[in-house]
Amino acid sequence: MHKNQSTELLFDLSRAGRRCHRLPASDVPAAPLKDLLPASALADAPPPLPEVGEIDLIRHYVNLSTRNMSIDTNFYPLGSCTMKYNPKRHERLSSLPGMADMHPLQSDESCQGMLALLFEMQNILGEIAGLDAVSLQPAAGAQGELTALLVAAAYFRDRGEKRTRVLIPDSAHGTNPASAAIAGFDAVSIKSTAKGLVDLEDLKSRLDARTAVFMITNPNTLGLFDDQIATITELIHQHGALVYLDGANMNAILGITRPGDFGVDMMHYNVHKTFTGPHGAGGPGSGPIAVRKQLAPFLPAPLVTRQGERYELDYDRPQSIGRVRSFFGNVGILVRGYCYIRTLGAAGLREVSENAVLNANYLLSRVKHVYEVPQGDRCMHEFVASARTLRRERKISAMDVAKRLLDYGYHAPTVYFPLVVPEAIMIEPTETESKETLDAFADTLLRIRDEDAGYLHDAPHTLTISRPDEVKAAKEPILRWKP
Ligand SMILES: *Cc1c(COP(=O)(O)O)cnc(C)c1O
């Protein structure tokens, strides 16, 4: 077996007495530990740690790291997640000592530079959204949703209005109804039309004085821009409710349109998707929210404000819902996002979206004759193909295709989401990939169609793990490998 496919643990490599280092003999007299520490702090025996040499240790971890799929090693067409390349310059800038070595409890005086950056980031994100006020605190998109819904709840409470429902199209990301429920609302599902847009009749029939918020993802998770949006937001406002935009798909509309301009009252960004923070595997994210003026008093405290030339953290916000995150959120990701936005500028951001949409449409046009796209043959930054015909005719499922792609060195696309498309394969190439990469991926998808169905059912064939029971793997992980 190739070394980096090895399933050996560091414990298996352990040899008694082996060390990574040798220290010179101590020139101070040894004192027994029990004279230095209270008995309650002493263990009976040393911890059973692996004893290995430095080179074994390095090889073990470097080999493990090469088993990771990452955007730096492989194409990652993961629909909805916007896995675009993260320029290395942002890593360098965010790890400058002045950024990386800050302490969250420093005085405002001693971190004016960082506060200026965050203040500008608030303004920039407000401008891109077309909204008035921004909180950078939420640590991810889902937390942004929850925070904004808590802001909405505080807003209605302040107005003395009792509104209990959040309306959500059935194509929405699962976090939307989850956030509504955690914020104390009842989530009500709104149907989509056959074309994948909001069913206006269904929306009208459910809209009433109980409605607090309508949550929409636009472009939606099918990669379609809902062009009824102005009508929809007007309708919602006539009923005194608010419109929330799930901004995970901002990659498609940067500099082209602004949520505030099409009637949205509040939204979140996923800085780690749209503005290149590294993400995946539960790593740090950042989900700032932007809101209209009337909602601003309820935003989490603190916000960054400027008094003359001085920046400060403003905690004096009596109507605030309070904190949603320790300190100031995931500042390191905000710094990366800030670098990205400032590097590209307004015209560059628009180009990002134009190229993201172009790449997705190119890929769609190359594969749609095999992987049909039920909701039409044009898309925004992503599209949802379906393996339903493959499944019917050749017993090849979306899962088979996704698993087989791993053998060819691709990260699998998102599958079985959104739920409204059977055998969904959701593909988002992003703007950072070349035509050659897109062509190679399309060729591979077409080749898989012709492979033996039985062989595909057992794919992947080249990886250490093939088809784990995913639920069992999450609920009962085996953390020690046994031969
Ligand atoms: C990713 C995503 C979310 C959740 O964002 P996180 O940053 O992962 O919490 C919500 N909605 C949509 C459409 C998404 O793609």
Side-chain angles (χ1 to χ4, degrees):
M1 193 185 283
H2 192 278
K3 182 72 187 173
N4 73 2
Q5 298 282 306
S6 157
T7 42
E8 265 178 337
L9 302 182
L10 209 45
F11 290 95
D12 302 327
L13 303 175
S14 181
R15 297 292 177 273
R18 196 165 285 175
R19 289 287 178 274
C20 280
H21 56 262
R22 283 191 222 178
L23 298 177
S26 174
D27 58 0
V28 293
L33 266 183
K34 63 177 177 37
D35 295 348
L36 302 173
L37 291 171
S40 62
L42 292 175
D44 300 332
L49 296 176
E51 300 176 77
V52 292
E54 180 171 329
I55 193 165
D56 299 325
L57 183 70
I58 294 294
R59 284 188 185 145
H60 179 75
Y61 282 111
V62 171
N63 281 321
L64 277 183
S65 77
T66 62
R67 281 160 56 179
N68 262 343
M69 189 72 94
S70 79
I71 197 72
D72 286 353
T73 54
N74 302 73
F75 178 43
Y76 222 110
L78 192 60
S80 205
C81 293
T82 312
M83 295 296 282
K84 60 167 103 175
Y85 175 70
N86 305 302
K88 295 297 164 263
R89 182 169 168 272
H90 308 164
E91 294 303 316
R92 188 164 57 80
L93 294 173
S94 61
S95 50
L96 290 173
M99 303 281 183
D101 296 346
M102 292 189 71
H103 192 282
L105 295 179
Q106 273 177 238
S107 67
D108 291 359
E109 259 63 47
S110 68
C111 56
Q112 285 292 300
M114 178 60 88
L115 291 180
L117 183 155
L118 296 172
F119 182 78
E120 275 187 45
M121 188 66 165
Q122 286 176 179
N123 291 344
I124 290 170
L125 294 180
E127 176 66 26
I128 294 172
L131 292 169
D132 305 302
V134 169
S135 165
L136 301 174
Q137 238 181 64
Q143 200 188 14
E145 294 168 22
L146 174 61
T147 306
L149 290 173
L150 292 173
V151 165
Y155 167 78
F156 287 121
R157 207 179 304 124
D158 182 58
R159 293 168 61 90
E161 294 183 45
K162 185 152 174 51
R163 292 174 179 261
T164 53
R165 294 176 135 194
V166 174
L167 311 187
I168 306 171
D170 57 10
S171 60
H173 195 267
T175 52
N176 291 188
S179 298
I182 294 175
F185 292 104
D186 298 322
V188 177
S189 181
I190 304 296
K191 287 199 196 88
S192 301
T193 63
K195 282 182 166 164
L197 305 179
V198 172
D199 183 331
L200 280 185
E201 292 315 309
D202 195 43
L203 174 62
K204 283 179 193 158
S205 75
R206 290 173 198 277
L207 189 55
D208 57 27
R210 288 173 295 178
T211 308
V213 178
F214 176 65
M215 280 182 110
I216 184 168
T217 312
N218 201 23
N220 66 20
T221 60
L222 293 159
L224 305 172
F225 189 86
D226 198 320
D227 55 10
Q228 319 166 96
I229 189 68
T231 312
I232 293 174
T233 54
E234 210 181 302
L235 200 60
I236 305 296
H237 291 151
Q238 280 165 9
H239 285 79
L242 298 169
V243 179
Y244 181 86
L245 180 94
D246 177 328
N249 293 340
M250 285 299 286
N251 213 41
I253 59 170
L254 293 172
I256 296 170
T257 184
R258 302 192 307 170
D261 297 345
F262 56 72
V264 164
D265 302 298
M266 44 184 188
M267 66 169 287
H268 78 257
Y269 287 96
N270 303 69
V271 174
H272 45 291
K273 296 179 182 175
T274 311
F275 303 122
T276 79
H279 66 302
S286 175
I289 58 171
V291 301
R292 277 195 205 284
K293 253 196 317 290
Q294 63 269 33
L295 298 163
F298 308 99
L299 286 175
L303 298 185
V304 188
T305 53
R306 185 168 69 184
Q307 311 295 336
E309 291 300 297
R310 188 175 177 281
Y311 297 93
E312 56 189 26
L313 290 175
D314 177 14
Y315 290 89
D316 184 19
R317 307 183 55 77
Q319 290 184 290
S320 165
I321 61 165
R323 264 189 188 289
V324 296
R325 176 70 170 73
S326 56
F327 305 121
F328 204 75
N330 285 329
V331 165
I333 299 296
L334 292 167
V335 172
R336 287 167 175 82
Y338 176 82
C339 293
Y340 180 75
I341 292 170
R342 293 301 304 267
T343 302
L344 287 164
L349 286 182
R350 185 183 170 112
E351 234 180 296
V352 160
S353 288
E354 289 170 348
N355 286 328
V357 172
L358 179 63
N359 274 0
N361 277 285
Y362 178 70
L363 208 45
L364 179 152
S365 70
R366 283 229 38 208
V367 303
K368 68 177 181 193
H369 61 290
V370 172
Y371 298 90
E372 65 204 278
V373 180
Q375 273 75 24
D377 46 22
R378 280 287 172 272
C379 64
M380 296 294 284
H381 62 303
E382 67 190 359
F383 61 96
V384 181
S386 169
R388 66 184 176 194
T389 305
L390 273 187
R391 179 163 190 136
R392 192 174 58 242
E393 293 176 357
R394 301 213 43 227
K395 304 252 183 316
I396 297 171
S397 67
M399 183 60 83
D400 295 335
V401 175
K403 293 287 187 184
R404 182 65 177 141
L405 279 168
L406 304 176
D407 281 333
Y408 287 106
Y410 294 105
H411 192 283
T414 301
V415 288
Y416 301 102
F417 173 75
L419 304 175
V420 292
V421 176
E423 296 296 321
I425 302 179
M426 184 188 212
I427 296 175
E428 178 179 14
T430 80
E431 71 284 1
T432 53
E433 301 296 335
S434 67
K435 179 168 177 296
E436 288 75 15
T437 301
L438 302 182
D439 278 330
F441 181 65
D443 292 344
T444 305
L445 274 176
L446 300 182
R447 180 189 311 181
I448 291 173
R449 177 259 322 250
D450 295 325
E451 290 185 328
D452 177 65
Y455 191 66
L456 290 178
H457 296 327
D458 296 332
H461 297 278
T462 58
L463 302 182
T464 321
I465 294 174
S466 181
R467 297 224 183 183
D469 175 335
E470 285 159 9
V471 175
K472 195 171 156 84
K475 302 262 180 205
E476 300 168 37
I478 300 171
L479 300 176
R480 194 175 204 315
W481 180 76
K482 290 192 202 75

